[in-house]
Amino acid sequence: VAVQVRRGGFPSSSLVRRWQEVARVLGRLRHPNIAQIFTFGTYDDGVEPVPFFVMEMVESARPISRYALEARLGARDAVTLFRRVCAAVAHGHQKGVIHRDLKPQNIQMIEDSSIRVRYQPKLIDMDYSILVDRRAPWHGDPERGYIGTPSYLSPEHFEGRIPEPASDIFTCGIILYELLSHGHPFPSSSDEDYKAEVRRNAPPPPRLLGSLPVEHSTKLLASILQRCLSADATKRPTAIEVARALNGQFSVAMSTPPHIQKHLTKKTIE
């Protein structure tokens, strides 16, 4: 197991109780692609109560982006792996948990010889997740806020709103885009440029690395990405919708915007 300690900034009993509530919910997550949270506790360091989580140790792992580069992951295997990520995110959402800081470093790849691609993704850093009642243990603390990681922030993050399930979907869209093309949908040189690109909401279709599974098409994949990366959270699909679409189940209508359609030719696949 691993023990993660959260030092400083949690002196009140009400905050500790909230951490306990979050830990109870996280402890109910049971998914092969989520690192398990076992228990939560506190100890007194002589100044204040210090919260800690006991969780599954994820060993000999590497971030999904590094794995994709080293394994020269093509579009077909990227789709196969990422639907597992979306299934894990969907499980969290169904249990009332929003990760709120998804990024390649928080999706670790561990070896698993039982599957074709030989690696499984594991979501980590769940201990800073928030619940769908929109209150984190640090809710209302202006110094903490609902931070995320630059270049993976949803519009809700940088507009000062509380992240929601759709915020995770936005970040999933960025990571999937990177896996498919090794490029970012919103390339930028500064935080302000990034925000402007996100608000402009016109990422180019990815130039895919390799071929897609037979049940997919470039138009469908571009449509999924476009919806995930919408600046309007209400237009994004749910995690289970994305997982099903990546699994070839297209019962969810995903229309392709005209500005994307005109770019979708065979040259999109390299």
Side-chain angles (χ1 to χ4, degrees):
V1 299
V3 178
Q4 195 158 45
V5 178
R6 296 297 185 189
R7 288 185 175 276
F10 303 105
S12 75
S13 59
S14 62
L15 284 178
V16 171
R17 285 195 300 271
R18 182 58 179 173
W19 275 110
Q20 290 171 328
E21 183 181 349
V22 170
R24 281 195 296 271
V25 175
L26 292 176
R28 293 198 292 267
L29 298 181
R30 294 287 190 278
H31 194 279
N33 301 117
I34 296 177
Q36 179 69 44
I37 300 285
F38 296 119
T39 190
F40 167 86
T42 62
Y43 70 91
D44 192 341
D45 68 352
V47 178
E48 61 185 16
V50 179
F52 66 87
F53 286 85
V54 179
M55 60 188 69
E56 175 185 355
M57 173 75 81
V58 179
E59 297 183 283
S60 302
R62 45 185 166 164
I64 194 170
S65 55
R66 178 181 156 196
Y67 166 76
L69 287 171
E70 292 176 349
R72 298 184 179 181
L73 199 68
R76 177 188 178 88
D77 288 338
V79 166
T80 299
L81 282 178
F82 207 74
R83 66 191 180 208
R84 295 176 185 271
V85 174
C86 290
V89 173
H91 179 73
H93 291 175
Q94 289 166 350
K95 298 294 185 181
V97 176
I98 303 164
H99 191 290
R100 74 98 204 158
D101 192 22
L102 288 169
K103 55 186 174 183
Q105 290 81 0
N106 283 342
I107 306 172
Q108 293 287 316
M109 300 298 295
I110 60 172
E111 194 166 1
D112 184 347
S113 60
S114 68
I115 61 174
R116 186 177 65 82
V117 293
R118 301 187 64 82
Y119 277 82
Q120 284 266 29
K122 279 272 188 182
L123 299 191
I124 64 169
D125 254 14
M126 299 295 293
D127 52 315
Y128 253 126
S129 299
I130 62 176
L131 305 185
V132 291
D133 67 2
R134 301 166 66 82
R135 288 184 60 240
W138 61 94
H139 180 78
D141 184 340
E143 293 186 5
R144 290 187 181 275
Y146 289 86
I147 60 172
T149 299
S151 296
Y152 295 96
L153 295 176
S154 72
E156 298 82 66
H157 277 90
F158 60 69
E159 289 173 0
R161 291 182 277 153
I162 298 173
E164 52 190 283
S167 308
D168 282 348
I169 300 305
F170 186 88
T171 309
C172 279
I174 293 177
I175 298 169
L176 177 57
Y177 190 108
E178 289 183 311
L179 293 179
L180 291 169
S181 67
H182 293 181
H184 198 286
F186 306 110
S188 54
S189 57
S190 68
D191 290 348
E192 289 307 311
D193 285 347
Y194 172 76
K195 294 174 185 178
E197 287 297 313
V198 168
R199 291 188 177 108
R200 196 164 65 89
N201 193 216
R207 297 184 65 83
L208 304 182
L209 300 167
S211 59
L212 289 170
V214 294
E215 67 271 23
H216 290 73
S217 71
T218 52
K219 285 187 178 182
L220 174 72
L221 198 54
S223 179
I224 294 169
L225 287 168
Q226 184 68 18
R227 285 192 59 196
C228 290
L229 296 172
S230 174
D232 182 348
T234 65
K235 294 181 179 179
R236 297 174 208 150
T238 65
I240 195 64
E241 286 175 339
V242 178
R244 287 172 177 167
L246 294 179
N247 200 35
Q249 301 172 31
F250 308 134
S251 58
V252 180
M254 292 194 176
S255 61
T256 307
H259 83 277
I260 290 290
Q261 285 186 15
K262 68 181 181 180
H263 292 290
L264 291 174
T265 67
K266 291 183 179 179
K267 292 182 180 179
T268 311
I269 300 179
E270 298 185 326

